Amino acid sequence: MASVQTRRGGARGAALRDLAGRWAFMAPAAALLGLTLAYPIFYTIQISFSELNLGTFQPDGFVGWDNYRTVIEDDRFWQALRVTAIYLVAALPLQIVLGFSIAWLINAEWQGRGVVRALFIIPMVVAPVVAGGVWRMILDPLWGLANHLIGLFGLGPVDWLGDPTLAMATVVIIDTWRWTPFVVLIATAAILALPKEVFEAADVDGANWWYKLRWIALPLLMPMIAATFVVRWLGAVKMFDIALAATGGGPGHATAVINLFIYDEAFRSLRFAESSAMAIIVLALTMILTGLFLLGARRLERRY
Amino acid sequence: MQSNHSGWRIDRRAALTAALALIAAAPALAQEGLGTAAAPVEVRMIANEAFARQWQTAMVPEFNKKFPHVKVTIDGVPYNELLAKSLLDVTGASPLYDVIIADDPWTPQLAQTGSLLDLKKDAAAWTDKDFDWDDFNAAPLAASSWNGVQYGVPLRSNMLLMFYNRTLYQKAGVPEPTPKLTWDEYMAQAPKLVQDTKGGGKPDAWAIGTYFMRDVLTPTIWQTILNSNGGQLLDKDMKPAFVTPDGIKALQTHIDLVKFAPPGAASHGFNESLQAFRQGQVATMFMWGSVFKGTAVDAATTTLKPEQVGIQVMPAGSKGPGAHRGIWSGVVSKKSKNPRAAFALLQWLSSKEGEKWHANTLGVFPARKSTLAAKPESDWLVPVYAALQQAYEAAQAGQMWRPRHPKSDAVQQALADETARAISGQATAEAALKAAAARIERVLR
């Protein structure tokens, strides 16, 4: 009996030691995360329920849900959310479709494929503010390259950045130029990882390229497409710099995405408390939608 | 006795040594707070990155000729982050910066934190006798004062002025503008200034380049029109006072200017309008005077020559010509460990001697009447100084500046948003002004 108890105690001790060992490795990372992630989030939450004293730059008095009420009653907040939704609905599917299509094309054997792949990386490494500025010059109706080129076909001049509808299209184009290569990189890796024997079997059965794409490649790639969508969604929902550099949120409010709006309210209007409330609302919305997308991605994984 | 005598001798020697040491130390005591060769003091400044490096490399060495033991470090910060960073720093327990370079509307925001030195009181003992406060033009000096307290000195003065291309005016057969030109006359001339100068069958030169995009400086154009007709943005109780026929007409004039601007001008701001003018594509430009050198003189940045470019106050309304103030002022943090050295830097740079050096060497616009009245070293500065002096007087008379309130930036942002909506056709001038007024009332409540 005693030996059984000793053995049990020994096992528990070993388990505890094991747990302690694991936490010893985890602790530095957890502490770092706590400092760099949790602290700013909790501080933002604290400010969102307070009045921020600009004299001391400290939260000054609990105001309950007042800041949230102010935000919810502000038409401009909903307008910015609408603008963000338009941008996401236009940009994300475009980038995913383009990215996977380009990856499929450059996956085929052809000369110069390596150079094209390398060139694709360039937009990703250009600083977004620089990219926005360069595109602003390219699209300028007076001396921009874009209008010069379409002018050769007797078209234009097009006011890319001055027309509210076109300005949003322009932001989507710039963002797509910047982020499609990222999707191409992931898609290329996914396509290369597809089992060759399945395609060889399809070839033996006389399947054409469309059949192989529609009924073999796409189902096999679906989990990866879903995962890429979630990753891009998390990046796109934070979009701010391209809009700031290319259009400044204008004309009017046409391209004032939610993050640009929060930035303007916080750092230009110095409404830090209300901006914190906006940030928390956006964080909650993003978490809910990300959760839904992850659920969808898991279902697709199970289905295919 | 012997020993006493010896002791007296020793005491006498000690006293003599102490006296000599005191005499030697006297200048150092007089310069207390300004450092010594053995123990220099450090002054740290936060400034707009647009000119921080120029100051660090050119202005600081000049300052050090006079104050060799004050080490000055200038940190350049992008304009959009400068106010928030300055506020964060100055309100901290131990601020990093001794000197803050504040844009025109920021003094109330910084001052309300209670963290700035009152220069005429707290720094009075360090102020040189020949530092002439009355020599400053009232408008630039007022940029760094709030509620009757002088918190700063003007260091880089600027005014919104009217630039015009003489060649394009001649080609259009339109008389060159004078300070008496009214907005109605200007709008009547504008269609003639849209012209086909190269015979290509379509316009290749337009009337106007200025701010139209969503930017906090864009509303300054119609604000100036409103001010030159006697209107103000806020009344004495800090309530919006611009939803009036004059206000609506002023914004409508700004909107109408787009018709005579180059294609795509609705998204033009500082860079685009400047570029269009420098390339000879627009006949007039409402822009900050400080760009004159790069626009008319410096061949590396412009296609125009000084004789081609005219500069004057903006067109007149019923009360007189227009201008809009944009002054960078230097203020000192109350928690500075070296306030005397920090003030010495500001005092030197804004003194008659320092301002002349600054204007002649770096081309920075002066705020002092004596500097503006003196003959500048470069001939191109002569018409610029004349326009600047007129603009200071116009701005002072019509109170042509952004709102003086701790929430001035929020007010200007509301105006920028609604002005952009009106210019892009998403709202009428009246609807945009009403929306801006409602927002500003909420902000200032």
Side-chain angles (χ1 to χ4, degrees):
Chain A
M1 187 69 187
S3 71
V4 172
Q5 274 178 344
T6 313
R7 241 181 289 145
R8 272 187 195 158
R12 202 176 297 138
L16 279 174
R17 272 197 301 279
D18 180 52
L19 194 67
R22 286 163 193 249
W23 271 104
F25 282 107
M26 290 263 289
L32 201 67
L33 265 178
L35 275 173
T36 58
L37 198 70
Y39 175 72
I41 289 177
F42 284 117
Y43 187 59
T44 308
I45 293 173
Q46 186 195 359
I47 293 175
S48 75
F49 286 104
S50 319
E51 186 76 50
L52 189 85
N53 185 341
L54 280 178
T56 58
F57 240 82
Q58 293 296 323
D60 191 9
F62 179 74
V63 296
W65 293 96
D66 279 5
N67 291 326
Y68 287 87
R69 218 168 287 131
T70 308
V71 168
I72 286 165
E73 285 168 4
D74 191 339
D75 291 343
R76 296 171 308 131
F77 175 71
W78 297 108
Q79 163 78 11
L81 279 181
R82 264 196 300 277
V83 168
T84 311
I86 293 169
Y87 152 73
L88 289 171
V89 167
L92 280 183
L94 184 65
Q95 289 169 18
I96 299 293
V97 170
L98 262 181
F100 274 83
S101 306
I102 293 169
W104 185 258
L105 286 176
I106 61 173
N107 190 46
E109 287 289 340
W110 51 281
Q111 219 170 7
R113 184 176 68 158
V115 178
V116 171
R117 268 188 195 163
L119 288 176
F120 259 106
I121 312 258
I122 292 174
M124 278 172 61
V125 294
V126 175
V129 175
V130 175
V134 169
W135 273 94
R136 205 175 151 77
M137 284 193 270
I138 292 173
L139 297 170
D140 189 282
L142 196 55
W143 50 72
L145 182 68
N147 272 5
H148 176 72
L149 289 177
I150 63 169
L152 297 176
F153 301 97
L155 301 170
V158 177
D159 192 358
W160 299 97
L161 300 167
D163 178 272
T165 312
L166 272 177
M168 174 49 85
T170 304
V171 168
V172 170
I173 290 169
I174 301 172
D175 196 58
T176 301
W177 169 81
R178 188 167 150 71
W179 285 110
T180 300
F182 170 75
V183 181
V184 172
L185 279 184
I186 295 181
T188 306
I191 290 168
L192 284 174
L194 290 177
K196 283 200 175 93
E197 56 273 23
V198 183
F199 288 91
E200 285 164 3
D203 284 337
V204 170
D205 290 342
N208 62 18
W209 71 269
W210 168 250
Y211 192 93
K212 282 190 281 185
L213 175 69
R214 172 68 185 86
W215 298 106
I216 301 173
L218 270 182
L220 286 173
L221 285 172
M222 201 49 84
M224 194 46 108
I225 292 175
T228 311
F229 180 85
V230 173
V231 173
R232 259 319 286 138
W233 149 261
L234 287 171
V237 86
K238 291 186 290 193
M239 203 278 272
F240 146 82
D241 31 26
I242 295 268
L244 178 71
T247 61
H253 296 172
T255 57
V257 288
I258 189 69
N259 294 313
L260 184 58
F261 178 65
I262 294 174
Y263 169 82
D264 277 349
E265 289 296 294
F267 294 99
R268 290 190 178 164
S269 299
L270 302 181
R271 297 176 70 208
F272 289 99
E274 293 89 341
S275 307
S276 300
M278 288 180 209
I280 297 301
I281 293 172
V282 172
L283 180 69
L285 280 174
T286 309
M287 283 171 73
I288 292 167
L289 286 168
T290 307
L292 288 175
F293 291 145
L294 283 172
L295 270 177
R298 208 165 287 167
R299 277 195 186 167
L300 280 173
E301 268 177 40
R302 281 197 213 112
R303 189 171 160 190
Y304 293 104
Chain B
M1 187 72 195
Q2 182 72 27
S3 66
N4 279 347
H5 188 250
S6 167
W8 178 85
R9 269 207 318 216
I10 288 165
D11 285 346
R12 199 172 56 168
R13 205 181 300 147
L16 206 64
T17 312
L20 284 172
L22 266 174
I23 292 164
L29 284 173
Q31 296 289 303
E32 197 183 345
L34 296 174
T36 61
V41 293
E42 190 175 358
V43 168
R44 215 173 174 103
M45 175 194 286
I46 184 168
N48 186 353
E49 64 175 358
F51 51 81
R53 184 177 290 186
Q54 185 196 46
W55 270 4
Q56 184 73 65
T57 55
M59 182 271 283
V60 172
E62 192 65 26
F63 168 72
N64 283 148
K65 285 179 189 169
K66 196 144 191 177
F67 297 91
H69 309 309
V70 180
K71 188 187 167 212
V72 180
T73 307
I74 303 174
D75 290 339
V77 172
Y79 180 82
N80 286 336
E81 296 162 26
L82 188 54
L83 175 60
K85 280 196 176 172
S86 302
L87 271 170
L88 262 173
D89 186 77
V90 83
T91 54
S94 50
L96 182 63
Y97 297 106
D98 307 282
V99 174
I100 294 168
I101 305 301
D103 194 10
D104 199 300
W106 296 350
T107 298
Q109 269 157 295
L110 290 163
Q112 74 150 358
T113 65
S115 314
L116 301 184
L117 279 191
D118 174 346
L119 295 190
K120 285 195 173 171
K121 196 173 139 204
D122 303 332
W126 309 322
T127 309
D128 292 340
K129 279 178 190 159
D130 59 351
F131 187 81
D132 188 355
W133 287 99
D134 296 333
D135 185 39
F136 286 113
N137 273 289
L141 188 63
S144 55
S145 99
W146 189 54
N147 285 345
V149 178
Q150 192 66 43
Y151 291 102
V153 285
L155 298 180
R156 297 181 78 97
S157 300
N158 217 344
M159 296 301 283
L160 203 56
L161 295 168
M162 178 181 187
F163 289 68
Y164 56 95
N165 180 324
R166 292 197 165 98
T167 312
L168 290 177
Y169 264 80
Q170 278 162 15
K171 278 187 182 166
V174 174
E176 279 183 27
T178 68
K180 287 184 179 165
L181 177 80
T182 64
W183 276 105
D184 289 340
E185 287 165 350
Y186 176 75
M187 294 306 279
Q189 292 171 349
K192 292 179 203 157
L193 292 168
V194 179
Q195 46 186 332
D196 172 13
T197 60
K198 293 174 188 156
K202 56 182 182 180
D204 53 34
W206 291 266
I208 177 72
T210 193
Y211 289 91
F212 293 111
M213 70 181 294
R214 186 168 179 262
D215 185 295
V216 288
L217 290 174
T218 299
T220 57
I221 303 297
W222 67 263
Q223 280 173 237
T224 306
I225 304 174
L226 175 68
N227 294 155
S228 57
N229 281 312
Q232 286 295 318
L233 279 182
L234 304 177
D235 63 18
K236 283 178 187 165
D237 301 322
M238 289 290 153
K239 292 263 165 37
F242 51 81
V243 191
T244 59
D246 271 353
I248 295 164
K249 193 182 168 199
L251 178 54
Q252 191 57 52
T253 305
H254 192 178
I255 296 167
D256 291 343
L257 287 175
V258 186
K259 293 176 198 160
F260 311 112
S267 61
H268 283 191
F270 177 84
N271 288 325
E272 295 79 9
S273 46
L274 196 56
Q275 205 58 22
F277 189 84
R278 287 176 175 179
Q279 291 185 10
Q281 289 173 312
V282 291
T284 52
M285 173 174 72
F286 301 132
M287 184 48 68
W288 300 101
S290 61
V291 302
F292 189 89
K293 191 179 180 193
T295 301
V297 182
D298 193 349
T301 53
T302 184
T303 61
L304 307 172
K305 301 269 186 305
E307 59 274 16
Q308 279 182 284
V309 182
I311 187 166
Q312 63 157 53
V313 280
M314 283 171 65
S318 58
K319 300 287 179 190
H324 186 88
R325 194 181 67 188
I327 310 289
W328 285 98
S329 304
V331 297
V332 180
S333 167
K334 236 180 199 171
K335 292 174 198 156
S336 165
K337 285 177 186 146
N338 298 306
R340 185 172 182 188
F343 179 70
L345 174 63
L346 298 187
Q347 183 176 221
W348 171 77
L349 193 55
S350 61
S351 67
K352 288 180 183 175
E353 174 203 355
E355 195 182 69
K356 263 187 196 141
W357 173 86
H358 205 196
N360 285 321
T361 314
L362 302 183
V364 174
F365 286 177
R368 287 184 173 276
K369 292 173 212 163
S370 59
T371 317
L372 286 167
K375 190 179 180 318
E377 283 180 11
S378 308
D379 287 342
W380 62 265
L381 276 171
V382 174
V384 178
Y385 279 12
L388 209 54
Q389 184 62 52
Q390 277 181 336
Y392 285 154
E393 285 158 19
Q396 184 62 26
Q399 300 194 351
M400 297 175 180
W401 42 72
R402 279 154 278 172
R404 306 294 293 167
H405 190 278
K407 289 184 175 173
S408 157
D409 266 34
V411 171
Q412 203 62 24
Q413 188 64 45
L415 293 169
D417 287 350
E418 295 308 323
T419 301
R421 278 206 318 135
I423 288 176
S424 67
Q426 292 172 309
T428 63
E430 187 174 359
L433 290 186
K434 279 184 177 164
R439 228 176 108 186
I440 290 167
E441 258 187 64
R442 276 204 303 273
V443 165
L444 299 181
R445 201 174 289 154

